[in-house]
Amino acid sequence: MESSDLPAEDDRPEDDRPEVIPSEVDPDVECVRIEKAGGAAEPPPYPPPQDQHPPPGRGVRLCPEGYVPRRRRRDYTLDGKRVVTDSPATRNPEEPPAHGAASPPPSP
Amino acid sequence: MEAGRVERNPEAPQSAPPPRAGRDIEREAAERLDEIRQYFKDLYARRDVVARTTTPYGEDLDWVPSEADAEPPDLEYPERPGTSDRPASAQPFEAAAGSAQTGPPGTVPLVRKQLDSITAAGTLQDYLAKGTRAKVMTPPDDPGIAPPAVSPHKYAHAAQQVTNYGTEGVINTWRPYVQWSDEFSLGQEWVVRGSFVPGTTDGQTVEVGAQTYKDLYGDWYPHLFIFYTTNNYTASGANIGGYNTDVAGWQQVSTSVYPTVRLAESVYGGDQYELAIKVTLFNGNWWIRIGNEWMGYYPASLFNAAGLLNQAQSVDWGGEVVDEIGHPGPTATWMGSGHFPFEGWSRAAYMRNLAYQSDPSGTMVNMQGYPHETNPNAYRIATDFSGTTTWGSNFYWGGPGGVE
């Protein structure tokens, strides 16, 4: 006999929302349903230092309620921390700003 | 008709068909570029635009009616970052900069690309995929494939060997000049355990920082990155290691800060932008906080008992540049601001209030790192671990490259 007011697991309504949806704000971002993204872990209770940043994200919501953002996943291979590609490297079209020439370093 | 930038691979295979005339290639590239630009023209024409604004990065935003009911939480602002004598600003994180740049209530921003700035060389599908092209698999243990050439990594960093459960610090962020798309420049922390003996898989890390890497992000701008390895960088993939959310393993929690988000650029002699990073092992997860937002975590179960499952054995902060050996001469890629540490505040990159977590309960201890420069003519580090200033343990770091 069920002793809980909660329905049995099999009777619970299934979440029929899609697991991943595109962000309306940024085409490079997709939104992942929270239970598929972060699980149930609780963050540490440590308070942030007093001189740290205000919370980002005000005024912009990348994903709807119940979703968290993720850059669209891409398929590539790593060699250590370097991306392996079969296309030739391109040179940065910009030249270093003049101040980048910099002064000579002091002696090591 | 304008064409996307196309580079022909000079090493055509022996059995390849005869190369097409240059005009054919250029016409095809121009048609592809037109198709991409037309796609965005049509996309923007369908928008119900209420207002237009420009972000601090110069991106145009269309504000359209929101279809979502929920509002973001109204969080209180703590004190401003920086210190009284060296003021700095928080990361605005893209369009989130200031109420003056937002649209009317009930609207959300959509990026409007400047069509003239699109110079992609691939197809529309390539462009929308935002990825690098198809990759050649080169497993390092495959004897049938020539071993990958060694590409020098250049560092200016400080490390401390100490049992720890995490680290924290504040860095100012820049847009370093990166000379080639296959080179990167970064400033980061490493939480580390293992021998890292070459040829073994004994080495595990959790890494967080700011990285400029065209081949990874598709642009020349700095991005927030995370990285982990469970095997001394010998293999990547789901639950074994890699960047950002490109491989499984990372568990995202924050709804507003996420790996790969673009970072603000400090101005030489001007405004400074900071990124506060904290990594902590808490209840079996390696949590990462950006500013005062818990961004998410790596489950410690990704790691083994000889690695980061229960603790770390060293913390490391600093800069790294890859000097790809396929290009002539020493790379001109910058580290940090592109300026040496002796130039100091607002001109050189810095990392401040560096500390490690000395016990599982969260006690923080000022870092006492050992500085190391692989190429001191190109990139330097100048440390102050005396803890006698409001910056605690800190250092300036970076340089312009261009010499060995």
Side-chain angles (χ1 to χ4, degrees), chain A residues 23-108, chain B residues 7 67 70 72 74-75 77-81 90 93 95-96 109-111 128 130-132 134-137 148 151 175 177-182 184 188 207 213 216-217 220 227 233 236 242-243 245-246 251-258 260 274-276 278 280 282 285 287 289 291-292 294 297 320 324 327 334 339-340 342 352 357 360-362 377 380 400:
Chain A
S23 168
E24 292 185 355
V25 179
D26 186 336
D28 289 345
V29 172
E30 58 193 11
C31 302
V32 186
R33 215 168 68 200
I34 282 178
E35 64 270 30
K36 296 294 181 183
E42 288 295 321
Y46 319 138
Q50 287 301 298
D51 68 345
Q52 286 195 5
H53 300 160
R58 274 180 180 258
V60 173
R61 193 175 186 89
L62 291 167
C63 297
E65 191 72 26
Y67 287 82
V68 293
R70 176 179 77 187
R71 185 181 170 97
R72 287 172 59 180
R73 192 164 280 173
R74 304 179 306 138
D75 186 25
Y76 58 85
T77 304
L78 287 178
D79 174 16
K81 287 167 75 174
R82 294 159 51 225
V83 175
V84 179
T85 74
D86 63 356
S87 54
T90 56
R91 189 176 176 122
N92 191 332
E94 297 180 10
E95 289 300 316
H99 73 75
S103 321
S107 300
Chain B
E7 294 189 22
E67 295 179 358
D74 187 18
L75 300 176
Y77 276 52
E79 293 179 18
R80 293 186 63 79
F93 283 113
L110 302 177
V111 173
L128 295 177
K130 267 288 187 181
T132 47
K135 312 304 181 298
V136 177
M137 297 290 290
S151 184
R175 175 155 66 106
Y177 171 78
V178 174
Q179 190 175 19
W180 294 95
S181 60
D182 56 356
F184 67 67
Q188 68 162 101
E207 309 177 26
Y213 192 3
L216 186 57
Y217 303 102
W220 303 95
F227 182 91
Y233 303 99
S236 61
Y243 278 109
T245 48
D246 292 337
Q251 306 294 310
Q252 177 73 23
V253 170
S254 170
T255 58
S256 57
V257 187
Y258 60 98
T260 75
E274 292 189 332
L275 179 69
K278 182 179 181 69
T280 180
F282 178 76
N285 297 306
W287 281 87
R289 187 173 69 197
N292 60 5
W294 290 108
Y297 61 89
E320 176 183 359
E324 190 63 49
H327 309 305
W334 294 0
H339 290 258
F340 289 112
F342 71 87
R352 66 173 174 88
Q357 185 178 323
S361 64
N377 290 323
R380 303 295 302 272

Side-chain angles (χ1 to χ4, degrees), chain B residues 347-391:
Chain B
R347 290 174 170 78
Y350 61 81
M351 298 189 174
R352 66 173 174 88
N353 297 102
L354 305 175
Y356 67 88
Q357 185 178 323
S358 62
D359 60 38
S361 64
T363 304
M364 301 305 296
V365 176
N366 282 354
M367 181 179 175
Q368 299 294 318
Y370 179 80
H372 177 233
E373 299 159 332
T374 58
N375 300 75
N377 290 323
Y379 310 112
R380 303 295 302 272
I381 181 171
T383 63
D384 175 3
F385 294 142
S386 67
T388 55
T389 73
T390 56
W391 276 20

Side-chain angles (χ1 to χ4, degrees), chain B residues 21-345:
Chain B
R23 280 199 304 274
D24 291 342
I25 295 174
E26 288 174 8
R27 188 179 66 246
E28 185 177 316
E31 289 171 356
R32 286 175 170 178
L33 184 59
D34 278 350
E35 183 187 15
I36 293 171
R37 289 177 173 173
Q38 189 60 49
Y39 169 85
F40 284 102
K41 279 182 190 169
D42 294 343
L43 181 71
Y44 299 152
R46 292 193 295 271
R47 286 182 180 171
D48 180 14
V49 179
V50 176
R52 286 201 177 126
T53 61
T54 303
T55 72
Y57 301 114
E59 276 189 319
D60 294 327
L61 297 179
D62 290 340
W63 292 84
V64 302
S66 170
E67 295 179 358
D69 295 330
E71 289 293 321
D74 187 18
L75 300 176
E76 292 183 5
Y77 276 52
E79 293 179 18
R80 293 186 63 79
T83 53
S84 58
D85 57 335
R86 287 171 285 197
S89 301
Q91 292 289 327
F93 283 113
E94 303 267 8
S99 57
Q101 290 296 312
T102 61
T107 62
V108 295
L110 302 177
V111 173
R112 171 181 288 263
K113 293 177 184 292
Q114 294 172 354
L115 300 183
D116 290 345
S117 70
I118 299 175
T119 56
T123 64
L124 173 62
Q125 208 163 23
D126 290 337
Y127 188 83
L128 295 177
K130 267 288 187 181
T132 47
R133 301 295 186 80
K135 312 304 181 298
V136 177
M137 297 290 290
T138 53
D141 56 349
D142 184 346
I145 299 176
V150 175
S151 184
H153 292 246
K154 299 179 174 180
Y155 299 92
H157 68 122
Q160 181 175 7
Q161 297 286 327
V162 62
T163 297
N164 72 88
Y165 303 85
T167 186
E168 68 182 27
V170 179
I171 70 178
N172 64 341
T173 53
W174 299 83
R175 175 155 66 106
Y177 171 78
V178 174
Q179 190 175 19
W180 294 95
S181 60
D182 56 356
E183 297 182 338
F184 67 67
S185 177
L186 60 75
Q188 68 162 101
E189 67 73 34
W190 292 259
V191 169
V192 174
R193 195 172 184 206
S195 71
F196 292 90
V197 173
T200 75
T201 58
D202 179 23
Q204 301 190 329
T205 68
V206 168
E207 309 177 26
V208 188
Q211 184 182 42
T212 304
Y213 192 3
K214 176 73 158 56
D215 271 355
L216 186 57
Y217 303 102
D219 59 38
W220 303 95
Y221 300 108
H223 293 261
L224 175 66
F225 87 95
I226 58 173
F227 182 91
Y228 77 108
T229 180
T230 61
N231 50 48
N232 191 16
Y233 303 99
T234 57
S236 61
N239 301 317
I240 57 176
Y243 278 109
N244 302 320
T245 48
D246 292 337
V247 294
W250 174 250
Q251 306 294 310
Q252 177 73 23
V253 170
S254 170
T255 58
S256 57
V257 187
Y258 60 98
T260 75
V261 69
R262 200 171 137 190
L263 298 172
E265 300 155 22
S266 296
V267 177
Y268 182 76
D271 293 341
Q272 303 296 296
Y273 291 93
E274 292 189 332
L275 179 69
I277 298 169
K278 182 179 181 69
V279 180
T280 180
L281 180 59
F282 178 76
N283 282 353
N285 297 306
W286 285 97
W287 281 87
I288 295 175
R289 187 173 69 197
I290 301 298
N292 60 5
E293 181 95 358
W294 290 108
M295 183 168 69
Y297 61 89
Y298 287 116
S301 57
L302 291 167
F303 305 100
N304 59 37
L308 292 176
L309 178 62
N310 298 309
Q311 64 184 51
Q313 73 179 26
S314 70
V315 292
D316 198 335
W317 289 80
E320 176 183 359
V321 160
V322 162
D323 182 355
E324 190 63 49
I325 61 170
H327 309 305
T331 183
T333 291
W334 294 0
M335 181 184 289
S337 71
H339 290 258
F340 289 112
F342 71 87
E343 295 196 39
W345 164 249

